[in-house]
Amino acid sequence: LGKQDYKKTRPMLRATRLKAEAKKTALGVKEVALVLAAILVFLLAFYAFFYLNISDEVDLDLDPDEN
């Protein structure tokens, strides 16, 4: 609380303090975006791993010289 707050009443000072504390502890958009991006990257890696494993097995089963 700065020097400009000396004219405020006690409830106004309390509200200002609570607002500042809430702002300090609130989750930011940046943090939420980073968590969502990390989850998306993990899911894409998981999907790519299984996609490549399945496609390799299918390629081994299809032998063009069989007929």
Side-chain angles (χ1 to χ4, degrees):
L1 299 176
K3 291 182 180 182
Q4 72 274 12
D5 292 333
Y6 70 94
K7 292 183 180 178
K8 292 184 178 179
T9 63
R10 189 176 294 268
M12 290 176 68
L13 289 173
R14 184 170 185 257
T16 304
R17 188 183 77 239
L18 290 175
K19 185 177 176 182
E21 287 176 2
K23 193 174 188 181
K24 192 184 298 186
T25 59
L27 283 177
V29 174
K30 190 175 183 181
E31 288 85 5
V32 172
L34 285 173
V35 169
L36 290 176
I39 292 171
L40 182 64
V41 167
F42 175 75
L43 288 175
L44 286 174
F46 188 74
Y47 175 78
F49 175 75
F50 282 105
Y51 178 77
L52 291 174
N53 277 349
I54 291 172
S55 65
D56 287 345
E57 289 175 9
V58 170
D59 289 343
L60 292 176
D61 290 342
L62 295 175
D63 190 9
D65 296 332
E66 192 174 284
N67 290 334

